[in-house]
Amino acid sequence: MLLLSKMDCSLNSLSCLSLGHCKFGQCPMDATTSGATPSIPFHTIVDQPLSLVSPLQQTFHRLQRHCFGDSTPGEFPLAANPSIVLHVLTACDLDPQDLANLEATCTFFRKPANFAPDFELSISELAALDMCEKRAIFKHMTMEEKEYLKELCGGSWKLVLRYLLAGEACCRREKSQAIAGPGHSIAVTSSGAVYSFGSNSSGQLGHGTLEEEWRPRLIRSLQGIRIIQAAAGAGRTMLISDAGQVYAFGKDSFGEAEYGVQGSKVVTTPQMVESLKGIYVVQAAIGNFFTAVLSREGRVYTFSWGNETKLGHQTEPNDREPHLLLGPLENIPVVQIAAGYCYLLALACQPSGMSVYTVGCGLGGKLGHGTRTDERYPRLIEQFRTLNLQPVVVAAGAWHAAVVGRDGRVCTWGWGRYGCLGHGNEECESVPKVVEALSNVKAVHVATGDYTTFVVADTGDVYSFGCGESSSLGHSTGVDGQANRHINVLSPELVTSLKKINERVVQISLTNSIYWNAHTFALTDSGKLYAFGAADKGQLGIELVGQENERGTPEHVDIDLS
């Protein structure tokens, strides 16, 4: 079929279908079949004159073929087998923008497809719904819950798909991942198995003991449970299953994050968090003095650190009950949360685009509002509109924050000590500022720690800047790989030690704590894991020699996450 031969998984325009009913142009993301208003603007382009149309397209015009065909034998009616078209659209895993462009290209993709479950939905809307159904967090929903999410996202399955894809891209949900926690580490395979290693003074490794482990060890008590996301804090670990259940172990308090402070008891094996049973959770973020979780509907709940209404509600520091984050985000779906030292970032997904809200302590300007005052309720960062930047990934360091835009630009703000903002100095920035030194780099991922920042480019190259303590930046040089390993870096520098592994890096994770020396993980697209930085508790997952307590160059961790 002509359609199949042209379907190359981009499909931004189907010029081969520019027949009687097809338009060369773009229009707003069409959600008219579900009653939604347009959400993503396109430029309208009028029909091309015949002189600008290719000979092949002129032939189609002369034959007067069109997308719906007619009774004349030998015509090319797409509608003859719409189920095949639907299968192709779904199998190609097109993104919402592609589906919107298809609707703009041809009326065939806009008209009701007459398929279950909703006979009024268009082919592109059905394709979006089918791709949503592939997601673990979506398939467990009732039809009423799905319809509610659809309206919350803007009234279109394409917008629901955009919401789900954005969440997966931000925190590798349902994909392999590695988490460099304070003194201990968590690794999740693509199939949902979990390995842990490093410090275990509070049982945070989940193996039923308090013994340290330098070798990655499978948490066997989770057998039969697929984990899709993990979070690590000081002495505490939280895991999210594909059924939306939260398992926690280590310190039993959600609010005590300081080094050396214990809760009333320790939990050495994963235990389901009873207070969250009624909430389908897709992500957890552990900050200092509080913990936050994100529901599949995009609602944010917090534990602890709510005294004096610091997070919009009045609770005790050791409160174990989740509280909905009040304010502007109550009816705006959030796709990612990131927790730092006494503050929280939320990446929100609206029909008009993506935006970032912050709440909590404003010390150092880390909330991004141009001041250093605290915010009791989530507040929109206005600067991204000024910069014309659509945020797609957020990261919260202890004292600074970072964002990657859809166009690949990187913004940082907050306390600039040791050069962690990448602007060539140690000045504070109270509003997001573009890292100009990365102007020739298209970023896709960013990670932040205690005065440290890593950026991953679409090429797989990695750049780092900030505090060089414990060799966590990966900039070791010299014949023995020792020189400059502790040097602070004020502007982004290519991590050449990672480039030498000849693997494309897709995720960086580094310790985000003011109480622990940092270590760093680099995960490649083939599922290989590399580690460097502090290793005094076995948190790198590699065997040390003699009196070693850190590694300056990336070392392969003997674990397959693919």
Side-chain angles (χ1 to χ4, degrees):
M1 289 179 64
L2 181 60
L3 175 62
L4 295 178
S5 66
K6 293 291 183 180
M7 194 77 70
D8 64 353
C9 295
S10 61
L11 291 175
N12 288 330
S13 63
L14 288 182
S15 58
C16 61
L17 292 178
S18 59
L19 316 175
H21 290 287
C22 299
K23 303 294 183 183
F24 283 94
Q26 295 178 319
C27 65
M29 179 179 281
D30 188 46
T32 56
T33 56
S34 59
T37 55
S39 53
I40 298 180
F42 294 90
H43 297 291
T44 300
I45 305 175
V46 298
D47 290 335
Q48 293 178 328
L50 194 59
S51 61
L52 299 181
V53 180
S54 69
L56 176 61
Q57 293 164 351
Q58 291 183 37
T59 300
F60 284 138
H61 278 293
R62 287 195 296 270
L63 292 176
Q64 295 184 356
R65 293 183 176 183
H66 52 81
C67 295
F68 293 96
D70 53 30
S71 59
T72 305
E75 292 296 303
F76 178 62
L78 290 179
N81 283 295
S83 60
I84 295 178
V85 178
L86 179 60
H87 173 75
V88 171
L89 295 182
T90 304
C92 285
D93 282 330
L94 303 184
D95 63 32
Q97 189 80 28
D98 290 325
L99 295 174
N101 288 341
L102 281 179
E103 291 186 340
T105 304
C106 180
T107 56
F108 168 74
F109 294 100
R110 294 197 297 270
K111 297 181 74 70
N114 201 32
F115 281 150
D118 187 337
F119 292 93
E120 293 300 313
L121 290 181
S122 66
I123 284 284
S124 58
E125 274 287 275
L126 282 169
L129 177 57
D130 284 351
M131 284 186 275
C132 289
E133 292 285 359
K134 293 181 180 180
R135 272 69 197 176
I137 70 170
F138 187 85
K139 64 178 62 175
H140 288 283
M141 301 176 77
T142 66
M143 200 59 215
E144 290 76 15
E145 290 171 333
K146 292 175 181 178
E147 288 292 341
Y148 172 74
L149 180 60
K150 177 182 175 183
E151 293 307 311
L152 194 64
C153 289
S156 164
W157 292 120
K158 293 187 291 294
L159 292 175
V160 175
L161 179 61
R162 184 183 71 163
Y163 166 75
L164 295 175
L165 291 175
E168 292 173 11
C170 290
C171 53
R172 296 188 60 80
R173 192 168 61 215
E174 300 190 47
K175 298 179 181 179
S176 59
Q177 55 191 267
I179 309 299
H184 74 290
S185 305
I186 304 294
V188 183
T189 71
S190 57
S191 62
V194 182
Y195 292 80
S196 62
F197 44 100
S199 175
N200 196 30
S201 59
S202 300
Q204 62 265 43
L205 297 187
H207 301 305
T209 71
L210 296 177
E211 297 177 3
E212 292 179 2
E213 299 278 350
W214 70 263
R215 193 190 306 272
R217 180 179 172 185
L218 179 69
I219 302 180
R220 299 191 180 278
S221 61
L222 292 171
Q223 187 173 3
I225 300 173
R226 184 189 176 206
I227 299 302
I228 63 171
Q229 202 266 331
R236 185 170 177 80
T237 304
M238 298 181 74
L239 305 174
I240 315 299
S241 77
D242 63 350
Q245 296 171 327
V246 182
Y247 297 84
F249 41 102
K251 294 179 183 178
D252 70 334
S253 169
F254 286 98
E256 294 177 335
E258 303 96 308
Y259 172 59
V261 177
Q262 300 287 344
S264 58
K265 64 177 182 178
V266 297
V267 179
T268 60
T269 57
Q271 303 293 321
M272 190 183 301
V273 179
E274 296 291 331
S275 60
L276 286 171
K277 274 191 173 181
I279 302 171
Y280 194 111
V281 176
V282 296
Q283 189 198 347
I286 302 176
N288 290 81
F289 310 107
F290 77 102
T291 297
V293 297
L294 177 66
S295 77
R296 65 180 170 188
E297 298 83 13
R299 288 178 169 165
V300 181
Y301 296 82
T302 61
F303 292 86
S304 309
W305 199 58
N307 55 327
E308 300 179 4
T309 63
K310 286 192 177 77
L311 289 177
H313 52 74
Q314 181 75 37
T315 61
E316 294 300 319
N318 293 330
D319 189 0
R320 300 181 187 180
E321 294 296 320
H323 295 265
L324 179 65
L325 188 60
L326 303 177
L329 292 178
E330 290 181 63
N331 295 306
I332 299 176
V334 172
V335 300
Q336 182 199 3
I337 53 176
Y341 195 88
C342 306
Y343 76 110
L344 182 73
L345 270 64
L347 178 64
C349 182
Q350 298 171 271
S352 58
M354 310 290 280
S355 54
V356 179
Y357 289 76
T358 58
V359 61
C361 172
L363 187 64
K366 59 190 176 184
L367 296 186
H369 304 304
T371 69
R372 300 187 181 187
T373 58
D374 298 348
E375 297 289 340
R376 294 183 176 182
Y377 298 96
R379 179 179 171 186
L380 174 69
I381 296 181
E382 302 281 356
Q383 181 68 4
F384 293 119
R385 293 178 180 174
T386 303
L387 296 173
N388 192 28
L389 184 143
Q390 278 272 335
V392 293
V393 180
V394 298
W399 304 103
H400 73 293
V403 155
V404 172
R406 189 178 303 279
D407 58 6
R409 284 183 292 168
V410 177
C411 288
T412 59
W413 67 97
W415 209 337
R417 193 177 181 187
Y418 304 120
C420 64
L421 300 185
H423 302 308
N425 54 49
E426 297 188 50
E427 301 297 321
C428 293
E429 298 290 343
S430 59
V431 295
K433 181 178 179 180
V434 175
V435 181
E436 296 297 342
L438 293 172
S439 59
N440 295 324
V441 174
K442 184 176 182 181
V444 293
H445 173 72
V446 64
T448 49
D450 181 22
Y451 300 120
T452 309
T453 306
F454 278 77
V455 173
V456 180
D458 60 349
T459 59
D461 288 340
V462 179
Y463 299 80
S464 68
F465 43 98
C467 181
E469 186 178 351
S470 71
S471 304
S472 60
L473 290 180
H475 291 310
S476 299
T477 60
V479 177
D480 59 355
Q482 301 299 311
N484 297 326
R485 60 193 300 177
H486 297 144
I487 298 298
N488 299 329
V489 179
L490 301 184
S491 296
E493 288 187 9
L494 179 68
V495 184
T496 55
S497 59
L498 282 174
K499 197 170 182 64
K500 292 177 182 178
I501 67 176
N502 293 320
E503 291 267 356
R504 183 173 177 270
V505 175
V506 293
Q507 184 211 7
I508 291 287
S509 177
L510 67 153
T511 306
N512 186 11
S513 172
I514 65 174
Y515 302 108
W516 288 85
N517 290 332
H519 68 290
T520 305
F521 286 133
L523 178 65
T524 71
D525 57 357
S526 65
K528 292 181 180 178
L529 184 63
Y530 293 84
F532 51 97
D536 54 311
K537 297 293 183 179
Q539 61 265 51
L540 294 187
I542 57 179
E543 189 172 9
L544 300 180
V545 179
Q547 300 298 314
E548 276 188 314
N549 58 11
E550 63 182 44
R551 285 290 174 90
T553 56
E555 298 283 344
H556 180 248
V557 182
D558 187 18
I559 178 175
D560 183 8
L561 300 183
S562 61

